[in-house]
Amino acid sequence: MRRVVAPVAVLAGALVLAGCGSGDGKDSAAEVSVSGAYMPQPVSESMAAGYLTVTNKGGTKDELTSVTSDVGDVTAHETVDSSMQEAKDLPVPAHGQLVFKSGGNHLMFEKLKRKPMQGETVTVKLHFTESGTVTVKMPVKSATYNPKTGH
């Protein structure tokens, strides 16, 4: 009888230890998605802004390293002490968000090749350290558009 008990005890112990894994998703890879993207119709011929929310459902932080677009040069800007400045890299926390909204972080489009008009769509590529490139179709809204999400 002892010969059966020992292997069963070892097997039970292995199953208990297997259950101690990270199954809670905390160590999972970064998993970014984008929502609420839009560009207010620019009032300038050469500059525009863009807003969106990057959500990371994964357990690993990610970082937005650059942005490119078919309409011109794009840089990410952050507002620090009510002053706008270009940001080289912006963190996207694990199980968190990076929000681009009016008065805060935003995308700055410069040297526009054409002035995007309301009803059009602008293609933007977000480049991340962990998640690679995410392509976003950004609709151009009215210059006074105010989304329900507040950004």
Side-chain angles (χ1 to χ4, degrees):
M1 189 70 140
R2 287 188 173 189
R3 290 183 184 181
V4 173
V5 172
V8 169
V10 170
L11 179 60
L15 290 173
V16 168
L17 288 176
C20 291
S22 66
D24 57 11
K26 289 185 180 178
D27 295 333
S28 62
E31 184 183 331
V32 299
S33 61
V34 177
S35 62
Y38 76 97
M39 172 189 281
Q41 181 174 314
V43 293
S44 165
E45 295 293 325
S46 62
M47 295 178 68
Y51 308 108
L52 51 86
T53 298
V54 179
T55 301
N56 181 359
K57 292 182 181 177
T60 302
K61 72 176 183 165
D62 208 339
E63 196 168 57
L64 178 66
T65 57
S66 65
V67 184
T68 55
S69 177
D70 60 345
V71 296
D73 297 340
V74 188
T75 51
H77 284 76
E78 58 187 342
T79 302
V80 179
D81 298 326
S82 71
S83 177
M84 179 181 70
Q85 62 187 32
E86 186 175 336
K88 284 192 169 236
D89 303 313
L90 289 171
V92 185
H95 304 290
Q97 293 184 325
L98 170 60
V99 178
F100 290 86
K101 63 182 183 176
S102 182
N105 296 337
H106 60 279
L107 299 179
M108 180 64 67
F109 294 78
E110 299 178 279
K111 300 178 185 171
L112 294 174
K113 297 174 185 174
R114 61 177 175 79
K115 181 178 176 180
M117 302 303 286
Q118 183 176 341
E120 294 180 358
T121 301
V122 173
T123 301
V124 177
K125 291 186 179 186
L126 306 174
H127 305 276
F128 296 94
T129 303
E130 299 295 324
S131 301
T133 301
V134 176
T135 301
V136 178
K137 299 292 186 183
M138 182 176 280
V140 180
K141 302 289 188 177
S142 73
T144 58
Y145 178 70
N146 188 14
K148 293 177 184 174
T149 61
H151 70 276

